Structure formats: C-alpha cells, structure tokens
Amino acid sequence: MGDTLVGKTFIINSLLGNSFKDCQGLQTLGIENFIDNFVINDRIYKFKILDTAGTKVYRKISNSYIPYSDAIILVFSFDRRNSFDELKDFINMIREQINIEETVKFILGNKNDINEKEREISREEGELFAEQNNCEYFEVSAKTGYNIREVFFQLYIDIYNLKVLKEKKFLSKFNKNINNILYKYINV
C-alpha cells in the first residue's frame, strides 16, 4: 500500500524477475494479484501478493482486503515527501481494520538509487517512523533490484513464523479444552 506512483508495481515485478524497462508505463487500477513461491523448511509455500492502486479513489477497494492480510507493506518514494507523509493515513486505515500488532508490517523506502540531492526523506526519518509504528524498515530500489529479494525473504519468514505461532497457540488452547472435557467426562 502507498500513494500513487511510489513504485509498488515495480517492486513486485522486480521480485518476480521482470525487468524495470518492461514495466514502464504500468499503473495499477484497483487490485492486481501476483503469486510468488518460496521454500521454507523444504516445503514450497505460495504467497499471494496484492498490488493496490495508490490513488484515493481506489483506497476503499484496498481497504476491504486489509482484514484478510497476513502482512502489510507500506511504500513511499524518497523523491516525494507527500508519499511519506501519506503513510500516517495508511497506518490509521489499517488500525481501524485489524489488530495491527498481530500483523507483519514493513515500510519500504523506494528509489534509494536516486541522487542524494533529490532525496526528500532521510534514512533516519524513515527508521524513526517505522520504529514508532512497530514496523520493519527497508530501503529498496525497484529500478536496480536493490534489497527487493531480501525484503520479501524476510517478509515470508515473518509470515511463516507468525502463522506457526498462531497455530501453536490455537493447539495449546485446544488441547487445554480437550483435557478439561476429558477430565470432566472421566470424573462423572
């Protein structure tokens, strides 16, 4: 999620091995679905990635997918201050939909390949905002592919660990309930 023209589509296409040049002129209308396969503990997992349009007219559509997401990636562009400022609105929108503390959250600063003079957001500012909102922070470049695969590797591992943890909590609670039922049954 993020403002329009921050590079969300380019980041996903970079992850999937498509060249930056091939993606020129692409703009998402509504939502686009992508699948990425990833191996964890000798098992292949399919991760569905939703590329959401950044324009305000489509935000209600994006908003409707939040409750079903295992992770949220917020993207801003280093050469557009307003795209960074918009992240606050996205965080608030997410908080209205889900328990944000139980979701994997990443903030990506895109276009880290630009000239330092063009950069409107410092690394320190991005890191501070991410820390204040309990998010992991990464700097990437969809154009060069810098840090893209590493970000998604970490994202997939975090989602996997979150799912395993939730499953263990559920099984623990389930086992306690079963033990209580069996205990009552045996003592009748």
Side-chain angles (χ1 to χ4, degrees), residues 46 65 77 81 121 126 143:
K46 289 185 178 207
Y65 285 87
S77 176
R81 162 60 64 184
I121 298 93
K143 186 175 187 177

Side-chain angles (χ1 to χ4, degrees), residues 1 47-52 62 65-74 94 98-107 134-136 151-163 166:
M1 298 180 86
F47 290 90
K48 184 176 183 178
I49 303 166
L50 301 178
D51 181 16
T52 60
S62 303
Y65 285 87
I66 292 171
Y68 310 104
S69 301
D70 293 317
I72 306 283
I73 300 175
L74 298 173
I94 294 164
I98 58 173
N99 181 352
I100 198 165
E101 303 312 318
E102 293 180 3
T103 304
V104 176
K105 301 164 302 296
F106 282 18
I107 293 178
N134 198 24
C135 300
E136 291 189 57
V151 164
F152 281 88
F153 175 83
Q154 186 61 51
L155 179 76
Y156 297 157
I157 294 297
D158 287 356
I159 292 171
Y160 174 81
N161 289 335
L162 182 69
K163 290 284 197 180
K166 280 184 177 178

Side-chain angles (χ1 to χ4, degrees), residues 78-80 112-121:
F78 285 116
D79 63 352
R80 291 188 45 231
N112 85 324
D113 56 301
I114 64 171
N115 182 316
E116 200 59 40
K117 293 176 185 175
E118 297 174 69
R119 193 172 171 139
E120 297 181 14
I121 298 93

Side-chain angles (χ1 to χ4, degrees), residues 3-18:
D3 200 15
T4 189
L5 302 175
V6 295
K8 299 178 301 292
T9 301
F10 287 98
I11 288 169
I12 295 168
N13 278 285
S14 178
L15 168 72
L16 300 176
N18 300 322

Side-chain angles (χ1 to χ4, degrees), residues 50-111:
L50 301 178
D51 181 16
T52 60
T55 54
K56 290 187 180 189
V57 73
Y58 290 112
R59 289 203 184 151
K60 285 191 177 195
I61 296 170
S62 303
N63 199 7
S64 67
Y65 285 87
I66 292 171
Y68 310 104
S69 301
D70 293 317
I72 306 283
I73 300 175
L74 298 173
V75 182
F76 70 92
S77 176
F78 285 116
D79 63 352
R80 291 188 45 231
R81 162 60 64 184
N82 66 322
S83 70
F84 181 76
D85 296 338
E86 284 276 319
L87 293 181
K88 294 172 191 157
D89 293 337
F90 283 102
I91 291 279
N92 290 331
M93 186 171 68
I94 294 164
R95 280 194 174 111
E96 291 172 3
Q97 295 284 324
I98 58 173
N99 181 352
I100 198 165
E101 303 312 318
E102 293 180 3
T103 304
V104 176
K105 301 164 302 296
F106 282 18
I107 293 178
L108 305 185
N110 189 30
K111 302 183 185 179

